[in-house]
């Protein structure tokens, strides 16, 4: 079972005996439960739901008192409508200006970027009136060429193409010393169990500030962005 599911035997034993504290965290527990159940021919989602109902931490939301739900003064509502309309107009103007004039040399905005990103170089050729700038000599990357190496220890992950509901590309525990490569997709959606053990390279460059705790990230050729954390 350990070889087939890529889950270490001690974790399988902990799942069987409901000793969930042995596993590193809830993300591991849910991922292992789903993988192990489906390996046994069972409905993995049912076991994840049961775990959530019995063991997962529940978030508490403050109950709003009836006094807090009193209708606001009509004048305040009118002011809110005016402010909202002004905001919509401002956003519309910005969108139109950005679409019309475009942006040159815009920086990237992902939370995590690859170190030493691929630069586009230009060549200047002397002419009679000065120098002429030619087109970039290197094309922009279209695909996210991602390499994940379990250098520090075992790490569970689930990789999908495009989004959270996209094609499942990989799911399991990347054991220490193992490597997984993904190079044919423009966008990757990755759930990480123990990313602190991973070394990540994007388009040939090591990713700096890669998450160290369980999280979900989106990867494109421009960089890595944290979508959510537990």
């Amino acid at each position: 079972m350990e070889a087939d599911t890529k889950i270490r035997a001690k974790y399988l034993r902990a799942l069987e005996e409901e000793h969930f504290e042995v596993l590193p965290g809830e993300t591991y527990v849910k991922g292992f439960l789903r993988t192990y159940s489906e390996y046994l021919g069972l409905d993995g989602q049912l076991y994840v739901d049961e775990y959530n109902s019995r063991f997962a931490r529940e978030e508490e939301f403050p109950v709003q008192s009836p006094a807090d739900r009193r209708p606001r003064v009509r004048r305040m509502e009118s002011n809110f409508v005016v402010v909202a309309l002004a905001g919509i107009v401002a956003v519309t103007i910005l969108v139109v200006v950005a679409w019309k004039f475009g942006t040159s040399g815009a920086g990237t905005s992902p939370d995590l970027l690859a170190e030493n990103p691929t630069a586009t170089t230009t060549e200047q050729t002397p002419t009679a009136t000065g120098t002429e700038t030619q087109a970039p000599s290197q094309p922009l990357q279209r695909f996210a060429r991602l390499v994940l190496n379990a250098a520090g220890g075992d790490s569970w992950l689930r990789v999908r193409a495009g989004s959270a509901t996209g094609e499942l590309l990989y799911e399991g525990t990347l054991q220490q010393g193992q490597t997984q490569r993904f190079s044919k997709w423009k966008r990757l959606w990755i759930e990480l169990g123990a990313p602190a053990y991973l070394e990540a390279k994007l388009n040939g460059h090591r990713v700096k500030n890669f998450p160290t705790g369980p999280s979900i990230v989106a990867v494109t050729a421009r960089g890595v962005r944290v979508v959510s954390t537990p």
Side-chain angles (χ1 to χ4, degrees):
M1 291 181 182
E2 181 182 49
D4 292 341
T5 63
K6 307 301 181 183
I7 302 174
R8 300 180 66 175
K10 68 175 184 178
Y11 293 151
L12 295 175
R13 190 176 301 109
L15 293 176
E16 291 283 1
E17 299 174 356
E18 295 188 355
H19 292 167
F20 300 122
E21 68 278 2
V22 175
L23 281 77
E26 288 189 2
T27 303
Y28 267 96
V29 175
K30 295 176 185 179
F32 287 175
L33 272 176
R34 188 187 306 276
T35 301
Y36 186 35
S37 301
E38 292 176 355
Y39 172 76
L40 296 177
L42 305 174
D43 188 345
Q45 186 59 45
L46 291 178
Y47 285 88
V48 173
D49 292 341
E50 181 178 355
Y51 171 80
N52 288 333
S53 64
R54 293 176 56 194
F55 301 99
R57 300 174 184 173
E58 297 183 355
E59 297 181 357
E60 297 182 358
F61 299 92
V63 179
Q64 188 178 16
S65 62
D68 296 333
R69 293 193 294 267
R70 290 194 300 266
R72 296 185 176 182
V73 181
R74 182 166 301 178
R75 183 177 178 182
M76 295 179 62
E77 293 180 350
S78 301
N79 292 338
F80 174 77
V81 172
V82 172
V83 173
L85 290 176
I88 294 174
V89 172
V91 172
T92 303
I93 293 174
L94 290 175
V95 171
V96 171
V97 171
W99 173 80
K100 184 175 181 180
F101 296 101
T103 57
S104 60
T108 55
S109 59
D111 297 334
L112 308 173
L113 298 176
E115 288 186 344
N116 302 323
T118 303
T120 55
T121 59
T122 59
E123 297 180 359
Q124 294 183 337
T125 304
T127 61
T129 58
T131 58
E132 177 183 357
T133 302
Q134 297 181 349
S137 60
Q138 297 180 359
L140 295 175
Q141 293 286 348
R142 293 184 56 195
F143 299 101
R145 296 185 290 108
L146 181 67
V147 178
L148 297 176
N149 177 34
D154 299 350
S155 181
W156 176 88
L157 62 148
R158 180 187 295 126
V159 183
R160 293 183 180 274
S163 65
T165 58
E167 177 188 356
L168 181 62
L169 305 179
Y170 177 85
E171 181 177 5
T173 300
L174 198 62
Q175 298 190 6
Q176 185 173 5
Q178 292 184 338
T179 301
Q180 282 291 332
R181 292 177 171 84
F182 308 92
S183 58
K184 299 187 296 183
W185 292 270
K186 294 182 178 180
R187 190 171 189 266
L188 298 169
W189 184 277
I190 307 178
E191 298 176 49
L192 299 166
Y197 296 143
L198 294 176
E199 288 184 354
K201 287 188 176 181
L202 180 61
N203 295 331
H205 303 284
R206 187 175 66 85
V207 177
K208 66 179 181 180
N209 298 331
F210 200 66
T212 57
S215 55
I216 299 175
V217 299
V219 182
T220 65
R222 297 177 62 186
V224 180
R225 178 171 60 89
V226 176
V227 177
S228 66
T229 58

